[in-house]
Amino acid sequence: WKKHIQLIEGSFSDSSLLTGIYHMICVINCLCFSSEVLEAIENVIQGVIQSLAQKKAPVLTVANRTDWRNIEFKDSVGLQMIPRCTTKQIRSDCPQSAKRFALMLKILSMIYKMVQSNTYATKRDIYYSDTLLFGSQSVVDQIINDISCMLKIPRRSLHVLSTTKGFVAGNLSYTEEDGTKVNCTCSATAVTVPSNVQGIKNLTSHAKFILIVEKDATFQRLLDDDFFNKVSPCIMITGRGIPDLNTRLLVRKLWDSFQIPVFTLMDADPHGVEIMCVYKYGSVSMSFEAHHLTVPSIKWLGLLPSDLKRLNICKDALIPFTKQDENKLASIQKRPYIACQPLWKKELEIMAASKLKAEIQVLTSLSSDYLSRVYLPNKLQFGGWL
């Protein structure tokens, strides 16, 4: 095989980038695994070997994950990738893509080893295994998502974990994969979202609803006010801004497990609406995993643009739109799921007409504890969600 590998080795500035493929060939020749993941990786490597044997430059074909033309909207699922989507080729004989081709083989090799040995690594672990080779964390992140999409296997099944940044608190207990028992109910502080959501079990809760909070500061304030015990038993979760994969997986797992209402508490601005849509409908780049990540039943509890007038929030406390805000809102208004949400559409029109936005903290202009003492209890009691 070395003779064939030399055909493409010249396309790379560093032949060490192909070390992974040598390992793959040895393993494939010596061992036979029934695992779906191992088999899928073996099929890719065998395709590379066949091209080399035919004296052709190997090519990897991946879906155009960020192209809206490859996305369809289904109300019960959210944004999902169409079956026959457009693709792009990562060529080994093209200067623009040769390094990416090699990096994909390298990471495929690392995944193969982890699945084979039943070990796990975070995306950050993979990056720091050779920072000079990968160049940046974002390169690793994109390649792992491309591999997951190419193999049609969820990322967690590739034994690659995300670094968690989300928090969870409230009426919830569960057992982690290693047997550690976690009780969020008794904790005075929030618990970090588990890094392997798929592995948690024995979930128990008497919560009446789940509240997704956009920002960490708001989440901490509700925690300090003991909100999840005062109003009604509930589970609070925050992705601290744009949610990471684990936080989205946990929201979905909680909804699947308990089938209770899920509400969102976001800033009344385009960025907050965007984040809410990610939880509810998913994102374009991860649309191939929509069935595992989205929660289409999510309701918009606040902060609604119409709330600002209803509560007589002083205009001086509001923030003028930037050009970026205008563009973001215009983009959201054109998305297919907005047409299915007439009440959301109306709220976005109110926001667009005023060209003003508000953070949840604006409610402190009414009173320091208005959010937990008045706003949320009233909304939940009288059905003030969309």
Side-chain angles (χ1 to χ4, degrees):
W1 299 114
K2 287 186 178 181
K3 180 183 282 188
H4 295 301
I5 289 171
Q6 286 170 357
L7 290 172
I8 60 171
E9 202 170 57
S11 299
F12 305 103
S13 58
D14 185 357
S15 62
S16 65
L17 299 181
L18 286 172
T19 302
I21 196 171
Y22 294 119
H23 168 78
M24 293 300 302
I25 294 169
C26 294
V27 173
I28 291 170
N29 286 341
C30 298
L31 299 170
C32 179
F33 295 92
S34 59
S35 164
E36 178 188 355
V37 181
L38 297 180
E39 185 179 346
I41 296 175
E42 288 165 7
N43 289 338
V44 172
I45 299 303
Q46 284 170 353
V48 171
I49 293 170
Q50 287 173 1
S51 294
L52 292 170
Q54 296 168 8
K55 297 186 177 181
K56 295 179 181 178
V59 172
L60 298 175
T61 303
V62 299
N64 281 320
R65 294 185 295 109
T66 58
D67 192 336
W68 274 95
R69 291 173 298 180
N70 286 338
I71 308 300
E72 64 179 1
F73 171 67
K74 191 174 181 182
D75 194 42
S76 61
V77 178
L79 300 175
Q80 60 181 4
M81 187 170 283
I82 59 176
R84 295 182 180 179
C85 61
T86 60
T87 59
K88 58 184 177 183
Q89 290 189 330
I90 311 297
R91 300 192 61 85
S92 61
D93 61 348
C94 173
Q96 286 77 25
S97 62
K99 183 174 181 180
R100 193 174 187 85
F101 177 90
L103 293 181
M104 288 189 73
L105 291 184
K106 171 71 174 176
I107 293 178
L108 277 168
S109 173
M110 295 175 77
I111 290 170
Y112 195 96
K113 291 176 186 177
M114 289 189 295
V115 175
Q116 183 185 340
S117 60
N118 196 30
T119 56
Y120 291 83
T122 65
K123 294 185 297 182
R124 202 154 184 78
D125 291 335
I126 292 174
Y127 168 62
Y128 277 106
S129 69
D130 199 330
T131 56
L132 291 177
L133 175 63
F134 294 117
S136 71
Q137 182 68 61
S138 62
V139 169
V140 173
D141 296 350
Q142 291 169 14
I143 287 176
I144 289 170
N145 286 339
D146 278 340
I147 287 174
S148 176
C149 187
M150 177 178 71
L151 300 180
K152 294 181 172 57
I153 293 172
R155 193 169 77 194
R156 56 202 170 278
S157 297
L158 301 178
H159 287 225
V160 178
L161 306 174
S162 299
T163 302
T164 296
K165 68 185 180 89
F167 291 131
V168 61
N171 196 288
L172 174 69
S173 62
Y174 58 85
T175 305
E176 292 193 337
E177 190 177 28
D178 63 0
T180 303
K181 293 183 179 179
V182 179
N183 191 341
C184 304
T185 311
C186 299
S187 179
T189 58
V191 174
T192 303
V193 169
S195 59
N196 188 3
V197 175
Q198 186 185 26
I200 67 174
K201 54 189 177 182
N202 302 327
L203 283 82
T204 305
S205 177
H206 301 292
K208 302 299 182 185
F209 62 90
I210 298 166
L211 180 65
I212 302 171
V213 183
E214 176 188 353
K215 289 182 174 177
D216 186 35
T218 306
F219 180 87
Q220 294 297 337
R221 180 57 197 261
L222 292 174
L223 201 60
D224 292 341
D225 291 346
D226 199 26
F227 173 76
F228 61 82
N229 284 323
K230 283 182 179 177
V231 179
S232 179
C234 72
I235 300 168
M236 296 196 310
I237 188 167
T238 180
R240 302 167 69 194
I242 298 172
D244 58 275
L245 188 68
N246 289 327
T247 303
R248 292 175 62 189
L249 283 168
L250 182 59
V251 171
R252 174 64 192 233
K253 192 176 187 79
L254 293 174
W255 182 66
D256 284 339
S257 300
F258 304 123
Q259 292 294 302
I260 54 179
V262 184
F263 301 113
T264 58
L265 181 62
M266 307 281 154
D267 287 340
D269 64 12
H271 188 66
V273 174
E274 173 89 276
I275 290 172
M276 176 174 59
C277 291
V278 169
Y279 281 110
K280 184 177 176 71
Y281 295 120
S283 60
V284 174
S285 62
M286 294 296 290
S287 59
F288 62 96
E289 277 210 60
H291 288 79
H292 308 290
L293 294 172
T294 61
V295 182
S297 65
I298 281 176
K299 303 297 182 185
W300 188 3
L301 187 65
L303 183 66
L304 302 179
S306 60
D307 287 338
L308 303 177
K309 184 176 181 180
R310 181 177 62 84
L311 298 173
N312 293 316
I313 301 293
C314 177
K315 279 197 173 184
D316 292 340
L318 305 180
I319 306 167
F321 261 25
T322 63
K323 186 64 178 177
Q324 187 178 9
D325 290 325
E326 291 182 26
N327 293 338
K328 172 67 73 178
L329 182 57
S331 170
I332 294 171
Q333 288 177 303
K334 293 175 184 175
R335 293 179 190 173
Y337 44 71
I338 296 300
C340 302
Q341 293 283 356
L343 296 179
W344 283 29
K345 185 178 179 182
K346 187 176 179 180
E347 292 293 329
L348 297 183
E349 288 170 352
I350 292 172
M351 192 188 295
S354 70
K355 293 189 177 181
L356 295 170
K357 58 185 180 180
E359 297 181 336
I360 296 167
Q361 285 77 6
V362 77
L363 296 177
T364 58
S365 65
L366 301 175
S367 72
S368 61
D369 60 351
Y370 192 86
L371 175 64
S372 60
R373 183 177 58 85
V374 180
Y375 183 80
L376 290 176
N378 285 348
K379 282 264 183 174
L380 292 165
Q381 182 177 353
F382 299 111
W385 56 77
L386 304 177

